[in-house]
Amino acid sequence: MRILLAFALFVSFAAAQEPVRYTVRFPQPHTHYLEVNASVPAGKPSVELFMAVWTPGSYLVREYARSVEDFKAHDAQGRELAWEKTRKNRWKVQTAGAARVEVNYKVYAHEMSVQGNWVDAGFAMLNGAANFVTLVGAEKRPYEVKIELPPTWKKSISGMKNGADSNTWLAADFDELLDSPIYAGSAPIHEFEVDGKKHYLVNEGEGPMWDGPASARDVAKIVAEYSRQWGGLPYDKYVFFNMITESGGGLEHKNSTWMGASRWAYGNTQDAPENAPAGPRRPSRNGWLGLVSHEYFHLWNVKRLRPVELGPFDYENEVYTRSLWLAEGVTSYYGPLALRRAGLTTQAQALRAMAQTIGQLQNTAGRLVTPVESSSYNAWIGLYRPNENSSNTTISYYTKGAVVGLLLDAKIRKASNGAKSLDDALKLAFQRYSGARGYTPEQFRAVCNEVAGADLSSWFKNALETTEELDYKEMLEWYGLRFRGESQRGAGAPRILTGITTGAATPGRIVISGLRRGTPAYDAGFNVDDEILAVNGIRVRAEQWPARLDNYKSGDSVEVLIARREQLMTLKLPITADKPASWNLEVRPDATEEQKTRLKAWLHE
Ligand SMILES: [Zn+2]
């Protein structure tokens, strides 16, 4: 009782704290600058202000203070106050006794990305970490942002609550402020309700190729599906910031998401052909819906049910967690699964999306080098700092995590004889650990054991802490699936395995951009950046590579003329027939009725 009373007093004290107030203006939006006035409570001889160096969910130090210029400080009467930089992202202001300190600065905003800032003549898309300087130690104060729109812009919108007017936004604390992007401009905004809650799809860049109302109806189906799965919607309103700006990526927030899209995505209902080579795919509707599904699922998984390390955030330093396989990977597992459950894709499309992820995992040599928990822990120096050797040394926690999610789901279903699933484990984890608590890796594993009614400890240890190959047998058997027997490249002539990836960066030239460890070219001494010029004395052109190698038999070797730093040399490449394993999933023709029933139960058919 005493603890509760003390807590209540603390809460009312915090609520009474003076807010930090911002006014954001765009006097010359075509120059990509915004201007911020920040009014912060002082009451001491000097105050220290800071700007975040990273954005939660995007694990890289970005140094947002780089984009700040023309920093000035003054008191309420306009008297200038002295200040100095004390760190790359900190400013110390002498208050001269002022009760509040006003600082003004400009921010250069020309980065269309999940965590960047964008301002142009037509609109602004603002991410908090890149914008708002605040008092050191003021994280728990309330925050207020007033957006002053240029005359031709129609409105602003955010996941935050409105204050005094429709362009003033309120956050309970600094976490909420940084978790709430703000859009200002004139984009079509499609409004819909699910479970009595308001949702907004902000389609900046919506043109004739993008059917706005239809896209909002599709998004509503995804919302309804997840509401059913999680048992309701834990927010008052939710905003989908859909930047149709030939950009990509997505970032989760509690009450909103930032998504990048191509203007051609929603109109293209064709999936990429099954045997399409790896590389960038044509943007498609299912690709975009998959992004919506992924980012929206995060409002539970990672924003409200989070690894214990991911909050409260230290915005000036890296934070480390082993649980991104769950936060990101399991979210990636549900992306295509929920689209199928919502009736937006076919069974074949759902299986194909999962098979592609399995193929990505099994074709990445780094899966045998780095366990997925380590890949998560190293996100700051790994996944977010890739180079041409990364796929040889590490595996993405998105990819392996999604496959672990697929196998874990089947495992729980089998252990509980179909009574329970990963959905149930996530719901129980949500009940226990959502909100301020967060979960440890051990706690999440214990929840799964409890729901499955079985001890999965050694399986978890192998899948998450080692580089042992994952075993698909149990999952395939449970649902009556199999990997299709034929080569992924179809029934054509066998291709030659080189291990060479060539880049598109130099059109018309064959320049090696990646070499897979343990392959003939890797072992023969080929290097990244080598340019391939001729095979056995005959010129080979970009469009003839690698098909030229099909003229040789397995067991032969060829002389490959290359240019390395402009120097010509010849390397011997052994010809080895490629027998890639097939990771295409299909329903077994001899699947039993029981297996078919389980498959339907999983995909909600
Ligand atoms: Zn994600």
Side-chain angles (χ1 to χ4, degrees):
M1 201 60 175
R2 189 178 297 169
I3 292 166
L4 278 177
L5 185 65
F7 180 69
L9 283 172
F10 173 75
V11 168
S12 59
F13 172 72
Q17 281 199 320
E18 276 286 292
V20 175
R21 295 195 194 94
Y22 305 95
T23 305
V24 179
R25 302 183 179 92
F26 310 91
Q28 292 183 299
H30 62 282
T31 62
H32 313 299
Y33 276 93
L34 60 113
E35 292 186 10
V36 180
N37 168 267
S39 168
V40 301
K44 316 189 264 192
S46 69
V47 290
E48 193 145 27
L49 307 172
F50 83 103
M51 188 172 222
V53 305
W54 69 287
T55 296
S58 182
Y59 304 101
L60 186 66
V61 171
R62 309 271 178 180
E63 315 292 22
Y64 297 117
R66 280 189 318 153
S67 299
V68 171
E69 67 181 79
D70 215 2
F71 188 95
K72 289 191 182 87
H74 57 91
D75 65 12
Q77 287 71 45
R79 281 186 294 249
E80 207 160 311
L81 300 174
W83 60 271
E84 61 177 333
K85 280 284 284 270
T86 50
R87 281 183 67 166
K88 64 186 178 182
N89 64 320
R90 285 193 178 202
W91 296 259
K92 189 176 181 181
V93 180
Q94 301 302 327
T95 64
R100 287 187 86 89
V101 165
E102 311 266 325
V103 300
N104 291 293
Y105 53 92
K106 288 161 73 174
V107 180
Y108 182 64
H110 195 243
E111 185 183 329
M112 183 57 72
S113 75
V114 299
Q115 42 71 37
N117 262 334
W118 182 271
V119 176
D120 71 13
F123 72 100
M125 185 69 234
L126 308 179
N127 279 305
N131 269 320
F132 297 120
V133 163
T134 192
L135 273 177
V136 173
E139 288 84 347
K140 291 295 160 203
R141 286 179 184 273
Y143 283 79
E144 188 181 311
V145 182
K146 188 171 173 53
I147 303 288
E148 290 190 3
L149 296 175
T152 57
W153 296 9
K154 287 194 178 134
K155 65 186 300 179
S156 65
I157 180 167
S158 167
M160 289 181 277
K161 283 189 178 65
N162 269 125
D165 58 59
S166 61
N167 291 310
T168 300
W169 302 98
L170 304 179
D173 53 31
F174 194 60
D175 279 328
E176 187 183 343
L177 178 72
L178 263 54
D179 189 46
S180 304
I182 303 170
Y183 170 87
S186 311
I189 299 177
H190 305 277
E191 229 177 290
F192 58 91
E193 274 190 27
V194 177
D195 294 355
K197 304 279 175 76
K198 290 259 192 215
H199 297 76
Y200 305 85
L201 173 62
V202 181
N203 272 348
E204 172 56 49
E206 178 184 304
M209 297 305 296
W210 192 293
D211 184 340
S215 64
R217 286 194 292 275
D218 285 350
V219 174
K221 287 180 190 167
I222 295 170
V223 172
E225 166 54 31
Y226 282 134
S227 172
R228 186 208 53 71
Q229 179 181 331
W230 289 93
L233 303 175
Y235 50 74
D236 295 328
K237 66 166 179 176
Y238 190 93
V239 184
F240 295 87
F241 297 102
N242 188 34
M243 297 293 104
I244 310 172
T245 51
E246 301 310 315
S247 58
L251 191 66
E252 64 278 3
H253 301 285
K254 269 190 172 158
N255 299 328
S256 63
T257 176
W258 191 112
M259 305 184 300
S262 161
R263 69 184 68 253
W264 311 105
Y266 194 75
N268 174 21
T269 56
Q270 300 296 311
D271 277 352
E274 200 158 291
N275 298 323
R281 293 176 189 282
R282 259 185 76 201
S284 70
R285 181 178 300 185
N286 283 349
W288 181 72
L289 292 174
L291 176 66
V292 173
S293 182
H294 177 106
E295 299 306 334
Y296 184 72
F297 188 80
H298 269 313
L299 79 88
W300 289 275
N301 191 27
V302 90
K303 292 314 297 186
R304 286 177 175 80
L305 169 63
R306 61 171 173 84
V308 69
E309 301 87 359
L310 294 186
F313 292 110
D314 177 348
Y315 291 102
E316 298 186 85
N317 294 289
E318 292 90 338
V319 297
Y320 301 96
T321 175
R322 287 184 281 146
S323 297
L324 292 177
W325 72 270
L326 172 55
E328 288 299 348
V330 168
T331 300
S332 294
Y333 164 59
Y334 276 94
L337 181 59
L339 295 188
R340 174 65 199 136
R341 288 175 171 179
L344 287 163
T345 54
T346 63
Q347 184 190 86
Q349 286 170 327
L351 292 180
R352 213 170 86 193
M354 294 184 200
Q356 276 169 353
T357 309
I358 294 174
Q360 267 167 29
L361 169 65
Q362 297 300 142
N363 288 315
T364 302
R367 79 187 186 284
L368 302 174
V369 179
T370 303
V372 72
E373 280 195 344
S374 307
S375 156
S376 167
Y377 197 86
N378 290 328
W380 299 84
I381 55 167
L383 195 72
Y384 279 84
R385 300 285 300 275
N387 66 13
E388 71 281 353
N389 197 37
S390 297
S391 66
N392 284 327
T393 62
T394 190
I395 183 69
S396 157
Y397 46 79
Y398 285 84
T399 307
K400 186 165 180 182
V403 179
V404 168
L406 167 71
L407 300 186
L408 175 59
D409 197 358
K411 215 162 199 30
I412 295 173
R413 285 165 193 267
K414 188 182 172 192
S416 64
N417 202 21
K420 299 285 180 188
S421 71
L422 184 55
D423 300 8
D424 298 301
L426 287 168
K427 255 167 99 168
L428 181 58
F430 190 79
Q431 284 164 19
R432 283 202 189 141
Y433 302 113
S434 67
R437 273 158 294 187
Y439 58 81
T440 65
E442 294 71 27
Q443 284 170 331
F444 184 76
R445 292 185 199 188
V447 164
C448 291
N449 289 346
E450 187 179 328
V451 168
D455 184 7
L456 310 178
S457 312
S458 66
W459 180 82
F460 270 122
K461 196 170 169 44
N462 281 345
L464 304 178
E465 298 174 33
T466 78
T467 57
E468 265 177 51
E469 293 278 26
L470 297 175
D471 186 356
Y472 298 97
K473 203 162 146 259
E474 187 180 47
M475 180 274 293
L476 297 171
E477 224 168 78
W478 181 254
Y479 300 120
L481 300 173
R482 69 179 184 190
F483 291 119
R484 199 177 309 157
E486 68 201 43
S487 155
Q488 270 178 306
R489 288 189 177 128
R495 283 288 179 87
I496 302 306
L497 170 71
T498 61
I500 289 173
T501 309
T502 52
T506 45
R509 294 167 63 196
I510 313 163
V511 179
I512 298 179
S513 58
L515 279 160
R516 190 173 162 188
R517 190 181 281 186
T519 56
Y522 185 92
D523 294 335
F526 286 81
N527 288 184
V528 164
D529 292 337
D530 286 350
E531 181 180 2
I532 295 169
L533 299 169
V535 174
N536 277 358
I538 313 287
R539 182 87 161 93
V540 56
R541 300 195 179 276
E543 66 276 15
Q544 300 164 334
W545 179 268
R548 173 69 61 80
L549 300 178
D550 293 340
N551 295 304
Y552 301 92
K553 293 194 306 291
S554 197
D556 290 353
S557 67
V558 292
E559 306 256 304
V560 181
L561 179 70
I562 60 156
R564 178 177 297 168
R565 297 187 291 274
E566 309 293 7
Q567 191 179 354
L568 298 185
M569 58 184 81
T570 302
L571 295 174
K572 191 174 270 194
L573 177 67
I575 297 292
T576 311
D578 190 4
K579 288 181 200 149
S582 162
W583 302 105
N584 290 319
L585 283 170
E586 65 181 11
V587 180
R588 297 183 68 94
D590 59 352
T592 63
E593 283 312 307
E594 207 180 3
Q595 287 172 322
K596 287 179 188 163
T597 306
R598 293 173 193 155
L599 184 68
K600 283 185 180 157
W602 176 42
L603 303 176
H604 295 185
E605 288 170 355

